[in-house]
Amino acid sequence: MRSEPPRITEPQIAAVPDPAAEQAAREVMMGLYARATRAELQAAVERFQPLPQLKRLRPAEAGLIMVQGRTGGDGAPFNLGEATVTRAAVQLAGGATGVSYLLGRDPAKAEAAAILDALWQDAALRLAVTDALTPVRRRLAVEAARAAEETEATKVNFFTMARGED
């Protein structure tokens, strides 16, 4: 039986106790980078100016990946189609390597995400990077609440419906 990595919630991101928890926290942050807009990521990077010496290991480039699906969620995988992604990798002077893979064609967004990923790996900057993405978290929370309200409006409660013979 495969053990699952520990679940990390937003407040726990800054203080990660072990490598598995750190990996889970980094995945949460990468999810934030992917859902952020280019302007939000670039504003977050601007907070760290001047940046440490930066080496572009993989300049931002767009390409295609094959997206797989499964019939019924547990059947045999099949190729659903292709999706455009942009990837980038940077290395800071301290040795931290940041990577990003984002849906769509946006080299500036991919590079900003990779820079933030590298900065986040520095324990001294982790909390600052997390704080820099607070506007993204707020926007996503508002969008989730709006979607929940719209979904709730379509909910039918069958236990409160009156029967025709009563």
Side-chain angles (χ1 to χ4, degrees), residues 2-147:
R2 196 177 113 201
S3 67
E4 293 294 320
R7 283 260 190 226
I8 301 293
T9 60
E10 294 292 336
Q12 297 171 324
I13 289 175
V16 288
D18 62 73
E22 185 169 341
Q23 179 65 28
R26 187 173 177 205
E27 289 174 11
V28 168
M29 293 303 293
M30 290 182 132
L32 279 175
Y33 308 144
R35 292 188 304 267
T37 65
R38 179 188 336 144
E40 289 170 332
L41 290 179
Q42 288 175 335
V45 170
E46 287 296 319
R47 292 178 65 172
F48 298 95
Q49 295 296 339
L51 288 173
Q53 184 68 27
L54 185 72
K55 179 180 178 185
R56 287 172 177 78
L57 298 176
R58 181 182 306 272
E61 60 185 354
L64 294 173
I65 60 167
M66 181 60 67
V67 179
Q68 290 189 333
R70 290 184 182 267
T71 305
D74 60 354
F78 64 94
N79 290 336
L80 185 62
E82 294 175 334
T84 305
V85 296
T86 305
R87 66 181 179 180
V90 299
Q91 186 175 38
L92 298 180
T97 300
V99 297
S100 69
Y101 281 80
L102 306 171
L103 283 174
R105 292 176 181 261
D106 196 341
K109 180 180 175 183
E111 186 167 303
I115 291 169
L116 288 170
D117 181 44
L119 291 170
W120 184 86
Q121 292 176 55
D122 182 347
L125 296 174
R126 187 165 292 168
L127 186 58
V129 173
T130 303
D131 288 343
L133 292 170
T134 298
V136 177
R137 279 193 288 290
R138 283 188 190 133
R139 179 182 55 81
L140 293 174
V142 167
E143 289 174 0
R146 187 177 310 128

